[in-house]
Amino acid sequence: MRPSVIIPIALSLGVDLASAHGYLNYVDYKGVAYGLWQPFSDPYLSPLPLRYDRTILDNGPVVGMTGPNITCNNGGNNPLNVGSITVAAGDSLKLVWDQWNSAHSGPVMTYMAKCTPNCASFKGDTGSPWFKIDQFAYDPTKTPPWGSDYLHAQGAWWKVTIPSSLAAGEYLLRHEILGLHVAQDVNGAQFYPSCVHLKVTGGGSDSPTGVALPGAYDPYDADGILVQLWQINAGQKIYTAPGGPVWTKAAAALQTAVTATSQSYVPTSFAPSVRGAATTTTTSAPPTTTKSTTTTAVLPTTKTSSTSSSRTTTTSSTSSRTTTTSSRTTTTSTGGGTAVGAYGQCGGIGWTGGTSCVSGYKCVYLNDYYSQCQAA
Ligand SMILES: *[C@@H]1O[C@H](CO)[C@@H](O)[C@H](O)[C@H]1NC(C)=O
Ligand SMILES: [Cu+2]
């Protein structure tokens, strides 16, 4: 639910709090962490950083499963300026969420779609390009039995394999949690998708298609969307996740442990996070932060007598804001609580979590609502 909407409801009904929602944070491929869009801090960075997925608006679910936002979340499904992760067909990826502490039982599903002609122009919102490569819906032989709860229990990550027979080329990888906690209401099901850009190498000659998004998710689907969790949990109803079956040539699922074991993810090596920089080598540099050479606040001028002075006013005002931000970016928090991991939230209005960062990181002010652990 939207943070602004959920708070009063959460207080009265004891439903989840907005802070418990999440988004996909990294893709780890062979030990390199590819940073994904940080909805609470990246929009405030200048220049914008290089991320490997499409922009998302916040950590809330998609509103309207039959509309365009279901394809790649509420961020506009913008295919431009997105980094691409080069992966070999048959290899595995670890998909790491910033957190998943919501009591939002439901399936975890991962789809792919071939980008036609390439991912810089492909939106995936027409035709039926989406084929499932992985799914964990409800499996009562597992502890916990729901995919999203299992994801939480193992430390907010998920592993998938790129099918080995897939034709080489550019693809979107669409990873998604579906929260069913209020799915008994029409449009109560909560979808949390992310679209990552991949360049698949090797592989075979398969070019599968699958389902349409929007299209495949029906608000009245009584098997997978308009359902009562308790009936499924009580064994009174068989659950079938929406979006069709997993492609027959997909690799075996990797979440095989009967009982999920918590193993938190700590990135050590980072992919480039600067747009336009060389993308062939990895670096230990963290995502960019805005730096300013000016340390004295510049007051905006107020001349309004002509068009050109009005433009000057705008410029001064902008630089004043930049200066203010940068003068506050060196704050090092020494607050209590568990140390926050790399690029996790460590402060901001309303933040009640940890305020100190793991070794090697410091808590950096990004805006009034968000401070982030960045490399010291
Ligand atoms: C898509 O998401 C945006 C941001 O939440 C919202 O403003 C817009 O109304 C949504 N579009 C539709 C068609 O629901
Ligand atoms: Cu929610």
Side-chain angles (χ1 to χ4, degrees), residues 1-6 18-24 37-44 53-63 69 72-76 97-100 191-194 370:
M1 293 175 187
R2 299 267 139 251
S4 57
V5 173
I6 182 71
S19 62
H21 289 154
Y23 54 87
L24 208 54
W37 185 256
Q38 304 291 303
F40 301 117
S41 53
D42 282 354
Y44 305 96
D53 65 337
R54 295 195 174 170
T55 307
I56 57 172
L57 189 70
D58 55 28
N59 59 6
V62 169
V63 177
N69 289 335
C72 289
N73 212 322
N74 298 330
W97 291 71
D98 73 317
Q99 60 167 15
W100 193 259
F191 296 88
Y192 299 82
S194 279
Y370 199 89

Side-chain angles (χ1 to χ4, degrees), residues 204-224:
S205 56
D206 284 335
S207 292
T209 55
V211 300
L213 290 168
Y217 294 167
D218 173 3
Y220 295 92
D221 168 6
D223 297 320

Side-chain angles (χ1 to χ4, degrees), residues 100 104-106 108 136-137 139 141-158 254-262:
W100 193 259
H104 285 16
S105 297
V108 175
F136 182 149
D139 180 353
T141 70
K142 293 279 198 351
T143 305
W146 281 104
S148 65
D149 297 331
Y150 193 101
L151 180 147
H152 159 77
Q154 65 179 358
W157 52 263
W158 203 257
L254 293 174
Q255 274 63 223
T256 53
V258 170
T259 301
T261 312
S262 181

